[in-house]
């Protein structure tokens, strides 16, 4: 067969790219157990004291959830724990972290929505309460504002007795560069609503925080991905990595690059900002980026609107940092139904070789199982959230190449298969 080269087109974006300064990383725990599924993403900051508090909350929540739902079998029910976060670092004065905990069961019944805030004053070296960001002169005005905003947004479901008992000194709140968000668990002010309630008050209402208002800087892109030459007469494999980017992703990118190989990374939207340098490098090196939802909720359990939100928020943030718009979705927990399929324009990509790198702690087991199972056209599932995966591919990639495989992206694999099919048809 004649050798045919495929050249993949390059996206050129002009102007310059500013270095991203992020002072945090995102840690991920994703597990599928007998009776539970768990996806936890939370920030690790450069402040030990703060990390310790957050870690304790995560550990306690995780252990309590497993004890409550994994040790007992509920009839055909799997329970899901999801923890997501927001992180804001404000002018070297405050770090504001909010954790959103969500527990539901496989029959879509919501069990618990909970919110925890960590507002850390960098100068005072301590967490602050809502009382501390409001001056005594502002107190009454802010109270009225909160009530008004609540009635405006949730008027018909608010319980008047409950709202008059709110403790304003201890509100749950988070600070971002434009506003102070105030959160209520619905039971605090309503009997009819199951979600978290949130209102946003512009920073200008808080004299202590006014100076934090900063203009949003636009990210400018100049990313040119490497062009890959692929020989479609030779066998090929698409390695895929889910649940990143993480602190291990950079090393995986370097290993791939050393062997002039590429892979596809199905990333989580809520980790991209913290690892923006990594995602840019990922794209620059010629790898493909795919969508793996925003915070790893079980997509098939969500409403159509929630599914679209999970997918689109992730598309937007990938595009924001790379200029690239993914065309593939890998559904969380590999679970897919026609409702999800019909609700997205993205092609759904599963896998046919599972390295089980989340399960096997031994690098050689991961390597040997993969070498045993792969063949031409395989799509291999791995996770760039484990050190051992990074170690495994250092052995695996050169062996695969030695065995005659090219390591390509999912797009390249599918494109090559299309061309091969055409050639076969015309013969
Ligand atoms: Zn996943």
């Amino acid at each position: 067969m004649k050798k045919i080269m495929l050249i993949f087109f390059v996206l050129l974006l002009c102007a310059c790219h500013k270095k991203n300064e992020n002072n945090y990383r995102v840690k991920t725990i994703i597990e599928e157990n007998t009776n539970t599924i768990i996806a936890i993403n939370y920030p690790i900051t450069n402040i030990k004291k703060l990390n310790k508090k957050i870690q304790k909350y995560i550990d306690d929540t995780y252990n309590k959830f497993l004890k409550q739902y994994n040790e007992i079998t509920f009839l055909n029910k799997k329970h899901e724990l999801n923890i997501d976060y927001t992180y804001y670092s404000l002018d070297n004065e405050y770090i504001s972290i909010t954790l959103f905990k969500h527990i539901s069961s496989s029959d879509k019944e919501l069990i618990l929505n909970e919110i925890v805030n960590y507002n850390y004053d960098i100068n005072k070296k301590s967490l602050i309460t809502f009382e501390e960001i409001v001056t005594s002169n502002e107190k009454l005005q802010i109270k009225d504002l909160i009530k008004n905003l609540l009635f405006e947004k949730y008027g018909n479901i608010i319980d008047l007795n409950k709202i008059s008992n709110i403790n304003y000194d201890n509100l749950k709140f988070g600070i971002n560069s434009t506003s102070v968000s105030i959160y209520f668990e619905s039971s605090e002010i309503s009997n009819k609503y199951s979600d978290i309630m949130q209102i946003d008050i512009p920073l200008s209402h808080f004299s202590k925080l006014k100076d934090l208002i900063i203009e949003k800087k636009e990210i400018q892109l100049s990313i040119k991905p490497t062009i890959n030459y692929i020989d479609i007469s030779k066998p090929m494999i698409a390695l895929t990595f889910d649940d990143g980017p993480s602190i291990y992703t950079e090393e995986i990118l370097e290993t791939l690059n050393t062997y002039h190989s590429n892979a596809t990374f199905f990333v989580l939207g809520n980790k991209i900002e913290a690892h923006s340098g990594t995602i840019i490098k990922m794209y620059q090196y010629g790898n493909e980026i795919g969508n793996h939802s925003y915070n790893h909720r079980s997509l098939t359990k969500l409403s159509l609107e929630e599914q679209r939100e999970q997918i689109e928020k992730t598309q937007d943030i990938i595009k924001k940092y790379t200029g690239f718009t993914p065309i593939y979705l890998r559904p969380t927990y590999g679970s897919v139904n026609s409702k999800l399929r019909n609700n997205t324009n993205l092609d759904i990509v599963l896998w046919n070789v599972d390295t089980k790198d989340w399960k096997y702690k031994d690098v050689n087991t991961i390597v040997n199982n993969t070498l045993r199972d792969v063949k031409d056209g395989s799509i291999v599932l791995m996770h760039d959230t484990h050190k051992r995966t990074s170690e495994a591919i250092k052995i695996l990639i050169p062996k695969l190449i030695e065995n005659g495989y090219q390591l390509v992206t999912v797009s390249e694999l599918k494109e090559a298969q299309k061309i091969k099919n055409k050639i076969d048809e015309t013969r």
Side-chain angles (χ1 to χ4, degrees), residues 30 242-243 268 292 296 331-333 383:
I30 289 173
D242 287 9
D243 302 343
L268 294 175
H292 192 44
H296 217 280
T332 47
Y333 307 103
H383 299 84

Side-chain angles (χ1 to χ4, degrees), residues 28-201:
T28 298
I29 303 166
I30 289 173
E31 281 182 14
E32 220 177 329
N33 305 311
T34 329
N35 299 317
T36 54
I37 50 178
I38 297 174
I40 299 173
N41 289 298
Y42 62 102
I44 309 278
T45 71
N46 49 18
I47 294 165
K48 268 188 191 162
K49 201 171 156 184
L50 184 56
N51 292 343
K52 222 174 163 181
K53 282 195 195 298
I54 295 173
Q55 191 66 49
K56 184 171 180 337
Y57 175 78
I58 297 290
D59 290 345
D60 290 351
T61 306
Y62 173 89
N63 291 329
K64 194 178 153 198
F65 176 77
L66 278 186
K67 202 164 183 188
Q68 199 166 356
Y69 295 108
N70 206 50
E71 288 173 12
I72 316 150
T73 308
F74 294 83
L75 270 177
N76 298 323
K77 268 193 196 180
K78 262 203 175 191
H79 284 84
E80 176 179 359
L81 167 66
N82 187 284
I83 298 178
D84 194 11
Y85 74 93
T86 55
Y87 172 99
Y88 295 98
S89 161
L90 297 140
D91 212 15
N92 274 328
E93 291 197 36
Y94 299 101
I95 289 176
S96 179
I97 292 168
T98 301
L99 299 180
F100 303 84
K101 166 174 140 188
H102 179 94
I103 297 178
S104 57
S105 68
S106 51
D107 52 9
K108 297 177 193 175
E109 188 192 339
L110 173 77
I111 291 168
L112 183 71
N113 257 327
E114 187 181 273
I115 218 159
V116 195
N117 303 113
Y118 301 89
N119 294 293
Y120 188 82
D121 185 321
I122 295 171
N123 298 316
K124 282 189 191 162
K125 295 184 178 164
S126 67
L127 291 172
I128 48 168
T129 61
F130 190 73
E131 195 186 11
E132 289 171 82
I133 62 165
V134 183
T135 63
S136 48
N137 290 338
E138 288 164 354
K139 239 179 180 176
L140 267 178
Q141 193 206 343
I142 298 264
K143 265 187 190 182
D144 283 342
L145 195 54
I146 291 172
K147 271 190 195 168
N148 288 342
L149 288 170
L150 276 174
F151 274 107
E152 216 171 86
K153 199 169 173 184
Y154 303 103
N156 50 337
I157 50 167
I158 282 173
D159 185 315
L160 292 173
N161 289 327
K162 286 187 173 174
I163 206 164
S164 58
N165 291 328
I166 293 175
N167 176 357
Y168 286 89
D169 294 339
N170 259 320
L171 290 175
K172 296 186 195 76
F173 73 104
I175 314 167
N176 63 52
S177 57
T178 57
S179 59
V180 173
S181 300
I182 295 169
Y183 303 96
F184 296 93
E185 282 153 23
S186 53
S187 60
E188 293 177 278
I189 50 170
S190 166
N191 296 318
K192 292 170 188 153
Y193 196 63
S194 59
D195 221 333
I196 298 286
M197 292 171 160
Q198 177 185 346
I199 51 162
D200 300 318
I201 303 177

